Structure formats: structure tokens, C-alpha cells
Amino acid sequence: MDGSTRRVRVACLVAAALLGWTSVQAAAPPHLRKQGSATQLIVDDQPFLLLGGELHNSSASSLAYLDKLWPTLKAAEVNTVLAPVEWDQIEPMEGRFDFTVLDGVLKQARAHDTRLVLLWFGAWKNSMSTYAPAWVKQDTQRFPRAQTRAGVPQDILTPFAPATLAADSAAYRALLAHLKQADTQHTVLMIQVENEIGMLPEVRDYSAAANAAWHAPVPAALTMYLAAHQDTLQPALKAAWQTRGARTSGTWTEVFGDTIDTEEIFQAWHYAQFVEALTAAGKAVYPLPMYVNVALNRPGKRPGEYPSAGPLPHLFDVWKPGAPSVDVLAIDTYFPNFIHWAKQFKRPDNPLFIPEANHAERPDAGADAFYAIGEHDAFGFSPFAIDDIKGGNSSLPQAYRVLKQLAPLINRYQGSGKVRGFKAPLSYDGDVDAAPQQVRMGGYTLQVSFNAPWEKLTPAEVQTRGGLVIQSGDDEFLVAGKGLTIVFGSADGAMVGIEQATEGLDDKGRWLNGDETHQGRHIGLPGDAYTIQRVKLYRYR
Ligand code: DGJ
């Protein structure tokens, strides 16, 4: 480089630096990244603990209506709002897109420093097809309906119509293309593909196209997956397949048996394939993380009696090979036995994300958030009906305020085995199991109770309690939540004492001793609020 070239280059660098152009690399779009056993949502190159809430279905369809909700959403302490995007609203005429409302939603969210997850209400919303535009609804020749066994058409688009997939995909692609250029600041973190897909009132579609597919061979992609995952298959599917000889080819009834369960497997495969094509089409334009959500099946109900063939645990081994582009099979939980279900959705091939964790204003919402994040590495939690939060004192905002403080530590330790979550399990009928829980963390044992020795609680009060523990050093723990009593012991028989317990994460909190630690016998988190304590232990013999 000669002197004058060097001078020009230096001058350019100085000018660029003055204008703030240098070393400003655009952050990658939001994506998922593994950390040990956890999967984290990476936003602007940093892990992001999604503390969300889902709006009522129609709240984001009117900018004037949504605008009035922000004080409530801010009081709810959410960092992310889950908001629908409606196919009929963005594509009122075929090929003519109108993103005015979506752009307004983006603008409002940014003005309130809040991120968004968008819910694509396309071909299906809760089994039905009510969000399809009029030009789809009215053209049943081009966009045929699913039918019952008796041939009665339903207000449900059949997944066996290529024209429906093409139309839904075109709209979805347009949405992603719009976001790619209109959301360079990454306000939108993820997209939910459709909503609670599931066949009703019968187990499968019996339209002519569906019946033709029913008599066709099972696709090799499914049987090859079954053969490759024999050790981890879901029990019912595994039994159905293995008792028929673990065949790698044949019709649906030959491979799985002539049962209603096989009809559900068949329908699940075809839903999954539709969603796969849609998801892949969207990702090809703008590769945001994408997930599907599912309505759970009530105990004792048979396929056809619940929204069937969605990504339910007993069908994971159909949905995983059927829709490999989908990042997360996500759970909507409206039953009391949250723990029973949440456990099943955390697998090495599936991170836990809960887009609809029952209703936002319930008294145990916060405890569920702590449990899911602490025990199952959930990267996000979001109850439904966040519009209904009544001020900042309900369980959810209280919990979110504390989880926000803990987020950097949770993000750091998630997936390393150093984070555990606690909540008393409920049965489907709502009975609570308040027995103390024992875990080992490093060289210590923890006995976690949901009441202090002197407290007599009602089952309803026990349900509102929960929390998490992070092991932040060999002898150091962070304990957070509400109403937990923790007795520390050692794994090697040494006696354990509390060297120091301190309130909060900074050095402004009280030193806790005396009555606050029951004279050194245990750590106690008060039962009337979510709080944090830092704990240092020592051993003696
Ligand atoms: C589950 C659905 O996914 C939501 O969109 C909403 O309809 C709720 N049910 C209502 O409880």
C-alpha cells in the first residue's frame, strides 16, 4: 500500500468510526441453540428467557383495541406478547396482501419495548378453518373440506388438498417475506404454525382424497424413523408397530393394525406433512424458529373424542419425522396436572416451550413458570389471556419480576444440571401431593417442602408455591420462589450448616439469620411473595 492509498484508507476508517459504521455487525435473526441438555432462544446473539403471555384471539386484530391493552401488558411484566396474525386479515383477496395491522402491532410492541411471537392462524385454528379468507371458504371445489365417515363436510379444510397447501404456503411466505424486511430489529422472535391442529368430530378425515391416501403404503420416511428409533419410541406406537412385525413397508393397517389408533397415526402423518411443507416454505424466506402447539387429550377419551392427530406425546414419533423443519412441539396446558404433561414435552429432540400455560390470572401461574424453567429448561413460558391480568400483584407478574432478575443466571446455568425446579404435583382431578421432594445437587442433598414445619396449609395454598434452585458454586446456591423450605444435607454424611444467607442478588438485602433461617436449620422462602436468597453452606463433622 503506498502512502496516499494508506492515507485515504485511514481517512475512510476514521470517518466510518465517527459515523458509527465500524464493527457494527447485524445480529443474526432469532434462533435456537443447544447448551448442554437445554435449548435456548438466542435473540440479538444473547440467550433470551421468554416470559410471555398470549393475547385473547381477537385482541391484535384492531390497533385501537390493542393500544388500550398496553398498561395491562406492562403490569403483567411480560417481555414477549404472543399475538395472532390472521390469514383472512392479511390476504382478503387472493395474492393481495395487507400488512397494515401487523405493522401497527410491530410498532406498538417496539414502543413498549416488548417482543412478539406471532401465531399463524392459517388453515387451522383449534381444528376448524375459520381464519381462512372468504375466497378460500367459498370455493369448496378448489379448497375441499374434511368429511365425516358419513360424508358430511366439516368447516375444516382437508389436509389432502394440494391447492389448500399452496394457498396457505403462499400467504405464509408473504408474511415471512414482509417480516424479513419490516423487522430488521427482531421484534418477532418465533412463529407458531397454525393453532392446535386436531381432527374432530371423528378421528380422521374421510373425504375421497383422504380415503385414497388411507389405502396407500405407509411412507418410508415414517417406517425408517421407527426402525432407527426403536429404543425410544412412544409405548403405544411401538407396541402397535412391533406386534405387527415391525414392518418397514405395507399399508397403514398392515403396519400398525386395523384400529382407530392407526387412523389417528395416519391423520397425524398427513397433518405433519402439511405443516412441514408450510414451515419449510416460510423458513426458506426467513428462518425464524417455528413451533406447533397442541391441545391435550383428556384421560380415558379415545381418538375422535378429543382433537385428534395433533402433536400429542403418543404421536411424537409421527410428528418428528413428519415435520422435521418444526423446531418445537409445544404444549398448551389447561389441565391441573401440569407437571405430568410438561415432563413429556422435554426430550433430547424437543425443548420445552409453553405457549398457553392455562389462564394468566390463576394463582399458581407463577409457580408453574418457576417449575418449567427450573426443572425442564423451558426457554419460554406464556399463559393464555394475558389481557385479563389485574394489575401487577397476581401470581404471574410477581414471578416474572423475580425471573427477570434471575434470567442472566438461568441462561448461564441452564442445561448444566445445576438448576432444579420445584412444585407440588397435582393430579388431573386437582389433588395435590405436598410431600417434600429430595434432590442432589453437587455434593449436597436438598429436601424441599412446600410448607414450613409450623405451617398448616390448604391444598389450594400449596398449589401456589414453587421455585427453583441454582448451584452457583461448590458450596453456593441461589434459591428463588415462593413458600419453599429447604433443608440442606451432604451426599457424603458430613453435617451441613448455613454460613450465610442473604436476601436478593445485590448487596443491599438483609443478612438472614435467627428466626429467618429457623436458627440455621433451613432456608425459608416466604409464602406471600416471590423472593431470592443467596446461600453459602459449610460442612462440619
Ligand atoms: C386454546 C386455543 O389455542 C386458544 O387460541 C384459545 O382459543 C383458548 N383455547 C381458549 O381457552
Side-chain angles (χ1 to χ4, degrees):
M1 202 186 294
D2 65 23
S4 62
T5 313
R6 191 177 297 117
R7 272 194 300 281
V8 170
R9 194 164 165 210
V10 168
C12 287
L13 285 171
V14 169
L18 288 173
L19 290 167
W21 292 346
T22 52
S23 69
V24 182
Q25 292 273 323
H31 57 281
L32 298 176
R33 188 172 74 196
K34 278 256 184 201
Q35 175 171 286
S37 63
T39 298
Q40 300 187 314
L41 177 61
I42 307 298
V43 179
D44 296 336
D45 301 333
Q46 300 295 326
F48 183 86
L49 187 64
L50 192 160
L51 303 173
E54 182 165 323
L55 293 171
H56 276 292
N57 294 160
S58 307
S59 302
S61 65
S62 153
L63 293 176
Y65 185 94
L66 180 64
D67 201 32
K68 293 200 176 72
L69 283 182
W70 285 102
T72 302
L73 301 176
K74 293 313 280 182
E77 298 283 353
V78 294
N79 60 23
T80 306
V81 167
L82 279 68
V85 175
E86 307 177 11
W87 186 8
D88 54 356
Q89 198 172 36
I90 67 159
E91 196 183 10
M93 285 190 290
E94 188 169 8
R96 301 262 287 274
F97 291 95
D98 180 351
F99 292 109
T100 314
V101 172
L102 174 60
D103 287 340
V105 174
L106 291 173
K107 196 168 163 197
Q108 289 189 18
R110 287 173 194 143
H112 293 94
D113 196 20
T114 303
R115 307 278 181 156
L116 294 169
V117 169
L118 297 180
L119 319 176
W120 174 238
F121 285 8
W124 298 293
K125 196 275 173 187
N126 289 66
S127 306
M128 311 301 285
S129 298
T130 52
Y131 284 88
W135 55 269
V136 173
K137 284 179 174 160
Q138 285 164 7
D139 191 346
T140 53
Q141 284 298 314
R142 189 171 157 211
F143 306 111
R145 301 304 152 111
Q147 290 181 15
T148 62
R149 193 185 281 270
V152 180
Q154 303 298 301
D155 205 359
I156 300 176
L157 292 161
T158 172
F160 297 91
T164 302
L165 175 59
D168 198 356
S169 302
Y172 192 59
R173 270 198 309 272
L175 168 65
L176 270 298
H178 183 74
L179 285 178
K180 188 178 178 183
Q181 56 83 24
D183 188 32
T184 48
Q185 50 273 73
H186 307 147
T187 300
V188 177
L189 307 181
M190 296 201 289
I191 313 267
Q192 177 185 294
V193 186
E194 312 288 0
N195 188 86
E196 289 194 356
I197 291 171
M199 197 64 200
L200 278 174
E202 292 179 358
V203 61
R204 75 167 175 92
D205 177 7
Y206 294 92
S207 63
N211 288 340
W214 172 246
H215 295 295
V218 176
L222 176 54
T223 54
M224 278 164 54
Y225 174 94
L226 299 180
H229 295 81
Q230 309 223 15
D231 296 340
T232 56
L233 294 178
Q234 292 289 305
L237 184 84
K238 181 174 179 170
W241 180 58
Q242 290 190 337
T243 53
R244 272 102 197 163
R247 296 173 62 132
T248 49
S249 64
T251 62
W252 292 90
T253 53
E254 285 166 351
V255 173
F256 297 108
D258 193 2
T259 67
I260 194 166
D261 305 284
T262 301
E263 293 191 86
E264 190 183 30
I265 293 169
F266 159 82
Q267 183 75 22
W269 175 262
H270 287 285
Y271 272 144
Q273 288 277 274
F274 187 106
V275 167
E276 170 60 17
L278 192 60
T279 306
K283 281 194 172 183
V285 176
Y286 181 33
L288 287 175
M290 295 182 189
Y291 70 92
V292 285
N293 64 334
V294 67
L296 299 176
N297 44 331
R298 284 179 196 280
K301 298 287 180 195
R302 297 292 293 140
E305 295 171 346
Y306 56 84
S308 304
L312 286 157
H314 68 275
L315 298 168
F316 278 177
D317 296 312
V318 180
W319 272 84
K320 282 289 174 190
S325 298
V326 171
D327 298 289
V328 187
L329 308 180
I331 181 178
D332 291 351
T333 57
Y334 288 89
F335 300 151
N337 51 346
F338 175 74
I339 291 178
H340 164 83
W341 286 106
K343 275 181 182 160
Q344 297 178 66
F345 279 73
K346 170 72 197 296
R347 312 185 346 157
D349 62 353
N350 199 63
L352 182 61
F353 172 60
I354 307 139
E356 292 182 47
N358 209 330
H359 289 95
E361 186 57 20
R362 72 197 157 90
D364 55 345
D368 282 347
F370 268 86
Y371 169 77
I373 292 165
E375 188 63 0
H376 298 299
D377 298 324
F379 67 77
F381 183 88
S382 157
F384 183 71
I386 196 67
D387 336 25
D388 295 346
I389 282 284
K390 297 191 178 35
N393 287 327
S394 26
S395 170
L396 190 80
Q398 279 193 29
Y400 277 4
R401 272 195 288 278
V402 171
L403 284 166
K404 276 181 190 170
Q405 294 175 52
L406 287 171
L409 290 157
I410 292 170
N411 290 335
R412 179 160 149 207
Y413 288 106
Q414 244 184 358
S416 66
K418 292 180 192 282
V419 189
R420 298 297 302 259
F422 303 91
K423 184 169 188 247
L426 296 182
S427 71
Y428 176 75
D429 298 317
D431 297 325
V432 64
D433 172 4
Q437 298 176 1
Q438 300 267 1
V439 298
R440 184 172 164 177
M441 296 180 83
Y444 290 94
T445 58
L446 286 71
Q447 179 179 283
V448 181
S449 310
F450 299 94
N451 61 303
W454 52 86
E455 282 182 315
K456 294 269 171 288
L457 301 177
T458 63
E461 286 168 328
V462 173
Q463 283 174 36
T464 65
R465 297 181 164 207
L468 61 79
V469 175
I470 300 174
Q471 185 173 18
S472 52
D474 285 347
D475 308 305
E476 290 176 9
F477 293 84
L478 278 148
V479 176
K482 178 167 144 180
L484 299 186
T485 298
I486 303 180
V487 177
F488 285 93
S490 75
D492 62 4
M495 305 300 284
V496 173
I498 299 170
E499 187 177 304
Q500 193 179 358
T502 322
E503 197 175 44
L505 283 179
D506 56 26
D507 290 325
K508 295 189 186 130
R510 291 177 297 163
W511 287 33
L512 300 169
N513 205 333
D515 295 341
E516 278 67 53
T517 62
H518 196 19
Q519 326 307 329
R521 293 183 185 92
H522 65 221
I523 293 296
L525 294 172
D528 57 356
Y530 285 91
T531 55
I532 304 173
Q533 292 183 25
R534 282 176 293 153
V535 179
K536 176 106 199 298
L537 303 174
Y538 71 97
R539 293 152 172 267
Y540 62 96
R541 289 190 185 263

